[in-house]
Amino acid sequence: MAAVRPITQQIARSVHESKPTSHDLCISDVSDCLIFDRHGVSKTFDSLFQHNKAIIIFVRNFLCYTCKEYVEDLGKIPQNMLQESNVRLVVIGQSSWCHIEGFCSLTGYPHEMYVDPERQIYKKLGMRRGETYMETPSSSPHVKSSLLVGSLKSMWHAMTSPVFDFQGDPLQQGGALIVGPGPEVHFAHFDMNRLDHMPINWLLQLAGVQTLDFSDSPKIIHI
């Protein structure tokens, strides 16, 4: 298989847009921003990719049903596959750190997760606040619930959570980066709406990790 050239701009996935939108991303602007683990311990954002390539997923909020179902599929990626490619998989939310444990338990996600509770990284990177939809609706291979069913699940999750809050700004959109080792940005995508997150296999392929079949159970796709 031919090597994939690094992508350094946001992908425009509307059928009405003929070419990607150029995206100048200066990762040094957020290198010193603090993120927090499930115990409330802080570390700098650049510690995630100083020595390894990292796939970093920014989610909307921990109550969002599309984020929950997307992270459930991220959790199906075997750790040994990531280790063989020397790639870290990281999810970053924008709630209080006290919600990380519950969200990992809810989704079955076993990899690294942190929060940016003040949304410093989201803001400095220019991630969208509010949703924009194209004439052709976005779709995701990772979201199984309808809008109605998903919204009801999110409401129930909020009501039964030990701490009743939005677990992040409900208008904040997320994105995906592939960075490192060091400050080199290989790929950046900022979501336009809740269904606009990148297909996981695209990210795995761009990061040099074996792709999977997410339809039922994680089967390796040989390419």
Side-chain angles (χ1 to χ4, degrees), residues 58-131:
F58 293 85
V59 296
R60 297 177 71 243
N61 61 76
F62 288 163
L63 289 181
C64 171
Y65 74 94
T66 63
C67 296
K68 171 186 173 292
E69 295 181 5
Y70 187 75
V71 173
E72 283 176 343
D73 275 1
L74 287 173
K76 297 174 183 177
I77 302 172
Q79 183 64 38
N80 67 301
M81 276 179 46
L82 297 167
Q83 291 173 342
E84 288 171 3
S85 301
N86 198 27
V87 172
R88 297 173 75 169
L89 176 60
V90 180
V91 168
I92 295 180
Q94 37 111 12
S95 73
S96 167
W97 59 265
C98 66
H99 292 299
I100 295 177
E101 193 76 45
F103 190 64
C104 286
S105 177
L106 181 69
T107 57
Y109 176 82
H111 309 295
E112 296 179 76
M113 186 175 293
Y114 303 91
V115 292
D116 172 20
E118 301 299 323
R119 296 189 294 124
Q120 291 186 23
I121 303 172
Y122 288 79
K123 293 174 183 177
K124 289 185 177 182
L125 291 181
M127 293 188 193
R128 186 180 299 271
R129 188 172 183 272
E131 297 187 84

Side-chain angles (χ1 to χ4, degrees), residues 114-169:
Y114 303 91
V115 292
D116 172 20
E118 301 299 323
R119 296 189 294 124
Q120 291 186 23
I121 303 172
Y122 288 79
K123 293 174 183 177
K124 289 185 177 182
L125 291 181
M127 293 188 193
R128 186 180 299 271
R129 188 172 183 272
E131 297 187 84
T132 299
Y133 289 90
M134 299 296 182
E135 293 179 17
T136 303
S138 302
S139 62
S140 169
H142 306 289
V143 177
K144 297 86 179 173
S145 299
S146 66
L147 176 61
L148 175 60
V149 172
S151 298
L152 289 173
K153 288 179 180 178
S154 296
M155 188 180 301
W156 177 253
H157 181 206
M159 293 172 63
T160 56
S161 174
V163 181
F164 186 82
D165 61 25
F166 285 110
Q167 300 189 25
D169 182 343

Side-chain angles (χ1 to χ4, degrees), residues 149-201:
V149 172
S151 298
L152 289 173
K153 288 179 180 178
S154 296
M155 188 180 301
W156 177 253
H157 181 206
M159 293 172 63
T160 56
S161 174
V163 181
F164 186 82
D165 61 25
F166 285 110
Q167 300 189 25
D169 182 343
L171 295 179
Q172 179 65 58
Q173 305 306 306
L177 303 176
I178 300 176
V179 193
E184 182 179 2
V185 179
H186 304 279
F187 174 82
H189 170 81
F190 294 165
D191 302 342
M192 300 186 71
N193 56 66
R194 72 190 66 191
L195 295 172
D196 191 42
H197 44 235
M198 292 299 299
I200 295 171
N201 273 333

Side-chain angles (χ1 to χ4, degrees), residues 20 26-27 154:
C26 187
I27 203 71
S154 296

Side-chain angles (χ1 to χ4, degrees), residues 28-41:
S28 61
D29 291 345
V30 293
S31 293
D32 294 332
C33 290
L34 294 179
I35 53 176
F36 298 84
D37 67 14
R38 68 186 65 200
H39 305 294
V41 178

